[in-house]
Structure formats: structure tokens, C-alpha cells
Amino acid sequence: MTENINSVGIIANPASGRDIRRLVAHGSVFDNVEKVNIVRRILLALNNLDLDKVYIMPDSFGIGNSALNGLWGEEKKNFKIDVDIMNMTITGSAEDSFNAACLMEEKGVDVIIVLGGDGTNRVVVKALKNTAVLSLSTGTNNVFPIMAESTMLGLAAGLYTKFTPEEREKVTQPIKCIYIIKDGEIVDIALIDAVVVNESYIGSKALWHVELLEEILVTRSTSYDIGMVSIAGRLTDVGVLDNGGAFIRIGDSEHKVKAAIAPGVIKTIPIKDWKKIKQEEVIELPKKKRIIALDGEREVVVKKDEKLKMQLTYAPARFLDYKAALELADSKKMLEVK
């Protein structure tokens, strides 16, 4: 049931920043102790804004409880927010983030702060119908989430709960995504890239064998992003707020580019051909047994007789621009003390 209160959700994925790319690449390890510190700073920021409630996803490490138990002295004495570590079954998989996002939206949270990489954010956005997200990078190939001080994100999220609907529209951005469509049914989404891989089973989810790549559809393309989207970055520029994306076919060709597909890993990629695509355009692929990797992780198995399409579109959720939120709050003098 939706509650008529100002509330924020926090989803901190304990597994983000810890996958196999620490073995096959040089990804940094983002430990859960630091995630506890980040959540605690968010809570302290929210506590200064008279927020009614915060919902936190439970997890096996106990990030939310540890963040609360670490409060001490005056900060503990002055902490007034009602914090709810949600009562839900923990599976230790991406299903936890998905279910937590669904529950938070049911409770009517104004915004969800996500600690994780592209994979965590993908499942959260997939779960949402109308709730804004604010994503902090704690994963591996981080294109969707941002790098910022969590105290400022907490302030921005808390202030956002007090904005009017018109103001909320001004400080949020649309989220481009890719629908994966099998036999006419949407089975999954990607936020950054959907990669067709010449494999028949998933195995390890992390994607790093470039010799198996066939096609790539991206929602954005810049010179500086890492992961499979880095391949598109060598070819064209498509900003996060630009309509459209790019579609690339990989294969034998004299046209080759060097791309940073993972931390510390630069590969040479042969480009058969590529093109820009329009928003809402549908790419139809020939029937063939294959795997689809979404935002760097193998997720979807396609059988040889299944019809596969990919569509560039918009997700129902929107992304909170924390800088825009703070600037709007200052213009309204919301942080001035009387």
C-alpha cells in the first residue's frame, strides 16, 4: 500500500564490485565495509531534512543494520528518521534488488538510491514503473551510475521528496533502455548495451571473450566509457540525453578499433559495419542459437527457432540529477536556516 509520506529507498548490492572480472581483468574490489560507510553518510544527510522514512534492502552482510549501529555520540542522539530494514526473503542474487525495488515502489517511496554497477541498476530500473532512481557507482563497468560523494546524494534525494511534480520533472532525466524481445514478448532490458554472443549457454555471467561477439546495440556512445560500449565510442558519439543509439556488427574486417572492454583490458575489435539508430527503432536479427549479454553480463538464452528483436526505447523510471536538485533547492532557499 502506498504511504502518503516523504520517503527514500536504499538498495545496496553486497555483491557489486566483486565478480570474476577481478580475476580476468583488473577491476577494483569495492568492499562492503565501504558500502556501510556510504549508506551511513546518506542516512545522516537525510536526517537533516526532516524525512519521514527510509526503506533499506536487507542483505546477508547487513549493510543497513551496520550503517545504523555505527552511529555514535551526538549523531546517534539526534537521529530521528524511521528506518525500515524491509522484511523480505534474501536469495543472494539479483532477485533481491528487483524485489526490493518492487516493494519500495509499492510503499510509495519518492526516490531510490542504488549502490551498485550497471548490472544492479538494470534490475532495479526493470522493476520500476514511476519511481526515480539515483545511482552511485560501486560496481565494475560503471557507465549508468555516477561517481559522487554520498552525503550530497543523500541531500539531493531528501530535497527531491519535497519538490512539486513539475519540479521533479525538471531535475530528472529520461532513461534510455533496450528491450529484448523474443517471439514478440519483452523478456528483459539493458540500460547501456545489449551484446549478441556466439554461445549456447550462459556459464560465467561476466563477458570478456571478444572473439565471440557478433552484434552490439548501445543506448549511448562516448570516447570515455568502459565496457562493450567502449567499442561504439571509437566510432560515433551519442550522449546520454540524445535520442537514438548505435548498432554495430563485429566480424572479419580491415576496420579495427582498440577498446577498453574491462578495467585494464584493451582489445582490438574488427568492425564489419555500424550505423546510428533512432529512438524506438527495432533491430530484427536472424534466427540462431545465441546468448544475449545485458550491460556486461550474459543473461538471455535464445534458442535456434526463436525470433529475436531488440528495440531502443525509454524506461518508465527517470534518473535524478543530484546537481540539478541541489541547485533548485538553493534557488528556493530550502537549506537556509531561519
Side-chain angles (χ1 to χ4, degrees), residues 315-331:
R318 291 174 66 87
F319 192 90
L320 174 57
D321 181 340
Y322 84 101
K323 293 180 181 179
L326 291 169
E327 288 169 355
L328 176 59
D330 281 338
S331 72

Side-chain angles (χ1 to χ4, degrees), residues 74-93:
E74 287 298 311
E75 62 187 25
K76 182 176 182 179
K77 179 182 177 181
N78 296 325
F79 193 80
K80 306 298 183 184
I81 299 177
D82 180 11
V83 177
D84 182 355
I85 310 294
M86 296 190 304
N87 182 19
M88 56 175 276
T89 301
I90 301 172
T91 67
S93 70

Side-chain angles (χ1 to χ4, degrees), residues 127-317:
L128 300 176
K129 296 180 176 64
N130 52 33
T131 306
V133 296
L134 177 52
S135 304
L136 180 63
S137 173
T138 61
T140 310
N141 289 2
N142 298 294
V143 178
F144 184 83
I146 63 172
M147 296 289 288
E149 166 48 41
S150 57
T151 307
M152 305 313 293
L153 300 192
L155 283 175
L159 291 163
Y160 176 82
T161 69
K162 304 174 186 299
F163 290 161
T164 66
E166 293 75 18
E167 290 170 337
R168 292 185 179 191
E169 183 81 11
K170 289 180 181 178
V171 299
T172 56
Q173 303 168 349
I175 298 173
K176 288 191 286 187
C177 72
I178 299 165
Y179 285 161
I180 307 302
I181 305 167
K182 288 200 303 183
D183 291 338
E185 179 183 355
I186 299 170
V187 296
D188 218 323
I189 72 166
L191 298 179
I192 304 301
D193 52 58
V195 182
V196 178
V197 187
N198 186 18
E199 294 178 310
S200 56
Y201 64 94
I202 289 179
S204 170
K205 284 200 169 187
L207 180 63
W208 70 90
H209 290 303
V210 296
E211 66 273 12
L212 300 174
L213 306 183
E214 293 187 342
E215 292 98 5
I216 304 174
L217 177 58
V218 300
T219 62
R220 64 180 79 176
S221 173
T222 69
S223 298
Y224 47 80
D225 284 323
I226 196 168
M228 296 301 154
V229 72
S230 175
I231 300 171
R234 304 286 77 78
L235 304 169
T236 188
D237 182 72
V238 181
V240 61
L241 297 180
D242 294 340
N243 287 325
F247 179 70
I248 305 158
R249 291 200 303 156
I250 309 298
D252 292 337
S253 172
E254 293 183 359
H255 183 194
K256 296 179 173 66
V257 299
K258 288 184 179 293
I261 65 162
V265 179
I266 312 295
K267 294 290 187 178
T268 299
I269 311 295
I271 306 298
K272 185 179 292 184
D273 58 56
W274 70 274
K275 65 177 182 178
K276 283 192 173 183
I277 66 168
K278 298 177 181 179
Q279 202 68 25
E280 306 304 329
E281 185 172 343
V282 176
I283 301 293
E284 186 169 349
L285 298 170
K287 290 184 178 180
K288 178 185 175 182
K289 184 184 291 187
R290 49 165 72 90
I291 297 292
I292 310 297
L294 307 175
D295 299 329
E297 298 180 344
R298 299 173 178 87
E299 294 286 352
V300 180
V301 177
V302 182
K303 298 177 182 178
K304 64 180 180 180
D305 58 345
E306 289 180 318
K307 191 174 183 180
L308 176 65
K309 295 180 180 180
M310 298 190 293
Q311 182 181 15
L312 179 63
T313 186
Y314 286 110

Side-chain angles (χ1 to χ4, degrees), residues 44 64 111 113 159 233:
L44 288 169
V111 58
I113 301 174
L159 291 163

